[in-house]
Amino acid sequence: MSEKPRVAWPFALGTASLLFLLSALFLYGTRTAPFEFVGRPFYQPLIDAYLPELGARLARMQEINGLLAELPKPTPPPVGGPLGAMSYSTNATEATYLRFLWDAPHLIDAFVLVPAQAPDELAEPLAFRLPEHYEIVARKAGQETKRIRFPALSARQPASILPFHLPFDPVEADTVEVTAHGYAQFAIGELFVFSGRKNIAPFARIETSGFNLEAPGIDLDYANDERTPLGIPQDGPIPPLVGYTSGPFTSATETVWIELRWSDPAPIDEVRFYPIERILVNGANTAGFPEELDLLAWDGAAGVWTLVRAFKNEQGESPGLNAVPLRFPARKTNGVRLATRRLWKPTLRGPATFALAEIEIRHQGIPLNADFIPEVSHYSHEMVPAHSKDGLTHLWSKQALTDGMSSAGRILHERDWLEQLSRRADLLEERARLETGMAALHHQANRLCWRLTAGLPLALLLGLVLLLIDTIQRDRRRLRHLREKLAADLHDDLGSNLSTISIYAQRLQRSQESQNPSIQSLLLLVQDSLLSLKEMVAVTSPRITRQLGLVENLRNLAGIHSAGLPYTFAVEPGLEPIDCPPAERRNLCFFLKEALNNIIRHSGADRIDIRLHRNAAGEPELEIRDNGCGVPPSMLDENQLPSTLQLRAEEMQAPFGMENQPEGGCRVWIGIPCSPRRTRRRNG
């Protein structure tokens, strides 16, 4: 039977255990990556293959960031401006509504709801209140024509004032009702109801159930005045400061006029003023917007200016950065004039000025596309000289009043602007959903890349170690095979020859009429050689031959090597089944041979006592005594014991000693590092 399974299984089990332990230590030690791997081109294919979800999320987030960069952002909200409408209700189950009514039906195709700005955080774009969901219903003559229900609280920032844009197929309606659910109290900053490009909400009457009309900055009229906490419609990066400013005046009642004329008469029904950011203060304030002014239209037939509407700012000196619309019945004209009756005067001591970023003339919500010829009564470069900001030169001019730019960016139509802001909110909501769990995926990808980076060299090193171990094992198997072949050759060849010589010697001994001492010695020598050969074969390859028991082998050697001297061989009870590995057996046999040889050659003894017993410590021990002359004391004092005996003891790592006996003779002993046999398998 082959010995391979007895050798391979322990090795395989040990290797598997070692690999398991090293893998556990490696996984524990690399659970956190010390470096950032995500985004590196070398590792990206691995991340895409192992974590496709992370790659898809990162790609989509990159796409969203690109789209967000192209969308407008809300400008800073107004300071001290209107907040919107807020309910009285404190019962979460009671529906609170705002109802917008028109005298005649309109064809509508979109709602835009803007949350109210938080009153305590006017300098930040924070929503005052968002319900769980809104419901907007359009009716015509009491019959429902459209109902839209949509959640307000979702992955969108709860404090966001970004609008909800809700387009639909055109329907007719003379009533629009907004209801909030899920909050005991809610607020609306602004509601836009679009009919094409025109917002018809400012022309509606408002009814309500339980709205607060007393808090500062809160009024029903604010829910449809187009003055939102979003600032002014704008697009793109902030350009150089642009607009117009008059010269400084010591009197706030100075009249300053601005005229805009165009060649062909056109119908108009609205003029919008866009305030400009304060120059010397980094805030969302206006600079130089008049408190009172008159809007006049040019009557080409009569050649005179006709008053269209008088404006008085009742909200304080600053409208924020919201556009200020002046609406009037439609009329056909080819020029408008703005004439101030009371200039804006700062709260600090200083001159009064009149400043605007842009003037926009509209009809049915659509800006008039014409080549304007602006003229102003007062204009001064000295008021705000050319200055540098962010490396750009900023100039003020009357041409800037009609160039389509404000101090916050290019002006958009409010429907396009609100739609893009709502798109921004949707993208931010999607990005927030994508970011959920992104940290775990990101950590997982970094951990994977780190384990790959750290594991490849370790795996190569471990592979080299295993290859070296396997090479050693294969060399050992090859050496064992060679040793077995040599042992088999010795056993089959030399063993057969010695056995044949022994047979011939025995025949020769029987053919003699008297015992021949020489032939007897030859027989003993052959028997010893056969025993030595068996021991050599047993040490080299235990499978080749059957070994004698240790005690039996020692007894035979004592009989062969006592050279005819009387001897005793005693074994303490319990030690008869003692056994040793082949190498220790061989060394014990050599030790006994050498000890007997020394006694016969040097001691002059006529008796030998051999004993196998247990010493005081209970350990097995082989003892050889004689009644000869003993060992010279100088050898014992200088510890010059026979080198061969000491060599065998050292090879066995066994205790060894030699001493003279008081009654004469010498005692030699050696410990036996063996144990009594219980079960022993032999292969013949």
Side-chain angles (χ1 to χ4, degrees):
M1 181 181 293
S2 172
E3 280 191 335
K4 272 190 176 179
R6 293 208 300 256
V7 176
W9 277 112
F11 173 71
L13 183 60
T15 302
S17 302
L18 177 62
L19 288 176
F20 177 79
L21 178 61
L22 291 178
S23 300
L25 291 175
F26 176 77
L27 292 177
Y28 179 79
T30 58
R31 63 191 185 277
T32 301
F35 308 108
E36 180 67 29
F37 296 95
V38 176
R40 296 187 179 182
F42 178 79
Y43 294 94
Q44 200 57 44
L46 173 66
I47 295 174
D48 293 339
Y50 183 74
L51 291 173
E53 182 183 357
L54 177 61
R57 287 194 182 194
L58 289 173
R60 179 56 183 163
M61 287 182 65
Q62 187 175 5
E63 182 181 357
I64 288 175
N65 291 335
L67 294 173
L68 289 174
E70 298 174 358
L71 292 174
K73 299 178 182 179
T75 55
V79 176
L83 301 177
M86 184 176 69
S87 69
Y88 269 130
S89 174
T90 58
N91 186 353
T93 60
E94 179 182 348
T96 305
Y97 65 85
L98 280 177
R99 188 175 294 149
F100 297 76
L101 305 98
W102 293 269
D103 295 333
H106 293 271
L107 193 67
I108 61 176
D109 60 359
F111 301 135
V112 178
L113 189 146
V114 182
Q117 185 183 359
D120 296 332
E121 300 289 347
L122 293 181
E124 300 291 338
L126 301 178
F128 173 70
R129 181 73 67 180
L130 283 178
E132 290 183 0
H133 62 271
Y134 286 109
E135 193 171 63
I136 302 180
V137 181
R139 298 184 177 91
K140 177 184 177 183
Q143 298 295 319
E144 182 178 313
T145 59
K146 189 69 180 179
R147 179 184 293 267
I148 297 179
R149 181 186 177 96
F150 61 97
L153 288 180
S154 60
R156 174 188 285 206
Q157 289 284 342
S160 171
I161 59 171
L162 292 174
F164 297 91
H165 179 257
L166 309 166
F168 48 87
D169 294 333
V171 297
E172 285 192 336
D174 55 22
T175 304
V176 171
E177 185 175 288
V178 182
T179 308
H181 301 272
Y183 263 135
Q185 191 177 44
F186 85 103
I188 292 179
E190 188 72 22
L191 179 70
F192 292 81
V193 182
F194 282 105
S195 176
R197 307 289 285 179
K198 185 176 182 178
N199 175 27
I200 64 171
F203 306 102
R205 304 187 314 277
I206 299 180
E207 296 178 354
T208 182
S209 64
F211 263 74
N212 190 341
L213 305 179
E214 299 177 357
I218 295 176
D219 195 293
L220 287 180
D221 294 336
Y222 294 155
N224 66 340
D225 66 352
E226 296 185 307
R227 299 177 69 181
T228 74
L230 297 170
I232 59 176
Q234 50 80 31
D235 183 24
I238 296 177
L241 292 175
V242 292
Y244 158 81
T245 182
S246 69
F249 299 97
T250 57
S251 173
T253 57
E254 190 75 28
T255 298
V256 179
W257 56 262
I258 301 174
E259 291 181 4
L260 298 180
R261 296 196 185 191
W262 55 95
S263 55
D264 298 326
I268 64 173
D269 59 8
E270 180 183 354
V271 176
R272 288 185 172 233
F273 311 115
Y274 292 88
I276 195 162
E277 187 177 349
R278 188 187 297 272
I279 303 303
L280 302 178
V281 178
N282 184 18
N285 298 326
T286 58
F289 194 83
E291 294 185 6
E292 297 180 18
L293 60 80
D294 293 331
L295 173 63
L296 302 96
W298 175 251
D299 187 344
V304 296
W305 291 99
T306 303
L307 180 65
V308 176
R309 181 177 172 181
F311 170 80
K312 184 177 182 181
N313 182 15
E314 299 176 352
Q315 303 302 326
E317 63 181 29
S318 171
L321 290 180
N322 283 302
V324 180
L326 296 184
R327 298 185 178 91
F328 45 87
R331 60 189 303 152
K332 199 170 187 178
T333 182
N334 61 342
V336 295
R337 169 184 279 192
L338 307 175
T340 65
R341 285 185 281 111
R342 183 170 183 81
L343 295 174
W344 175 86
K345 191 174 181 64
T347 54
L348 300 175
R349 293 181 182 180
T353 60
F354 173 28
L356 287 176
E358 184 75 8
I359 300 175
E360 194 175 61
I361 300 173
R362 296 186 172 196
H363 180 252
Q364 295 293 319
I366 301 175
L368 183 63
N369 184 15
D371 293 329
F372 297 102
I373 304 173
E375 294 293 339
V376 296
S377 62
H378 296 80
Y379 178 64
S380 173
H381 282 290
E382 287 74 22
M383 173 60 187
V384 183
H387 61 286
S388 177
K389 180 180 181 182
D390 300 331
L392 300 174
T393 300
H394 306 268
L395 294 173
W396 295 69
S397 69
K398 58 184 180 181
Q399 285 76 18
L401 289 169
T402 58
D403 65 355
M405 302 288 288
S406 76
S407 59
R410 184 171 299 281
I411 296 174
L412 296 174
H413 189 277
E414 64 268 21
R415 178 162 181 173
D416 300 332
W417 174 62
L418 292 168
E419 181 179 359
Q420 293 184 52
L421 288 181
S422 179
R423 173 64 176 155
R424 169 176 285 276
D426 294 339
L427 291 174
L428 291 174
E429 180 178 354
E430 182 182 358
R431 189 173 69 177
R433 289 197 304 268
L434 291 173
E435 288 174 346
T436 302
M438 181 70 77
L441 289 173
H442 198 90
H443 174 71
Q444 189 175 354
N446 279 332
R447 183 175 56 191
L448 169 68
C449 297
W450 171 237
R451 284 176 175 172
L452 177 66
T453 303
L456 278 178
L458 293 179
L460 290 175
L461 179 60
L462 183 60
L464 290 175
V465 172
L466 292 177
L467 180 61
L468 179 61
I469 293 175
D470 183 65
T471 302
I472 294 174
Q473 289 292 107
R474 283 190 280 108
D475 289 342
R476 286 180 176 176
R477 288 195 296 269
R478 187 165 54 250
L479 181 60
R480 185 171 61 250
H481 176 72
L482 180 62
R483 193 167 56 239
E484 289 177 352
K485 187 176 184 305
L486 177 61
D489 292 344
L490 288 173
H491 180 271
D492 297 341
D493 188 8
L494 188 58
S496 298
N497 293 340
L498 289 174
S499 297
T500 303
I501 293 172
S502 177
I503 292 172
Y504 281 127
Q506 290 175 10
R507 288 179 180 178
L508 182 61
Q509 179 74 18
R510 286 196 299 269
S511 66
Q512 299 290 328
E513 293 182 358
S514 61
Q515 295 292 328
N516 191 332
S518 298
I519 296 177
Q520 184 66 29
S521 299
L522 177 62
L523 281 173
L524 293 176
L525 181 60
V526 171
Q527 290 176 6
D528 181 48
S529 298
L530 282 172
L531 288 175
S532 297
L533 180 61
K534 286 184 178 182
E535 288 296 330
M536 291 173 59
V537 171
V539 171
T540 305
S541 179
R543 300 188 304 116
I544 300 300
T545 184
R546 177 184 178 275
Q547 288 181 317
L548 293 175
L550 176 62
V551 175
E552 182 182 0
N553 202 0
L554 293 175
R555 183 180 285 114
N556 290 338
L557 290 174
I560 293 171
H561 291 278
S562 60
L565 289 179
Y567 73 94
T568 61
F569 191 93
V571 180
E572 183 178 316
L575 291 181
E576 184 68 29
I578 197 168
D579 197 8
C580 286
E584 279 72 9
R585 286 169 53 94
R586 184 171 174 77
N587 280 316
L588 279 173
C589 292
F590 284 149
F591 185 90
L592 179 58
K593 286 182 179 182
E594 181 65 19
L596 293 175
N597 185 51
N598 288 339
I599 291 173
I600 293 170
R601 291 175 58 191
H602 304 295
S603 69
D606 57 11
R607 188 183 73 254
I608 302 173
D609 296 318
I610 303 171
R611 189 162 63 110
L612 192 63
H613 69 105
R614 296 184 183 275
N615 59 19
E619 299 295 331
E621 184 177 276
L622 177 63
E623 179 185 80
I624 303 101
R625 295 174 179 261
D626 65 78
N627 61 351
C629 62
V631 180
S634 59
M635 293 180 61
L636 295 176
D637 295 340
E638 298 174 5
N639 198 22
Q640 294 181 356
L641 303 180
S643 59
T644 53
L645 296 179
Q646 192 164 5
L647 175 63
R648 299 303 177 185
E650 289 175 355
E651 287 184 1
M652 295 173 60
Q653 296 183 352
F656 158 70
M658 178 182 291
E659 61 185 1
N660 288 325
Q661 300 179 95
E663 65 275 13
C666 179
R667 173 179 175 265
V668 180
W669 58 271
I670 185 172
I672 304 177
C674 306
S675 60
R677 288 178 294 176
R678 293 185 179 178
T679 302
R680 185 172 178 228
R681 295 173 58 113
R682 289 190 178 97
N683 298 317

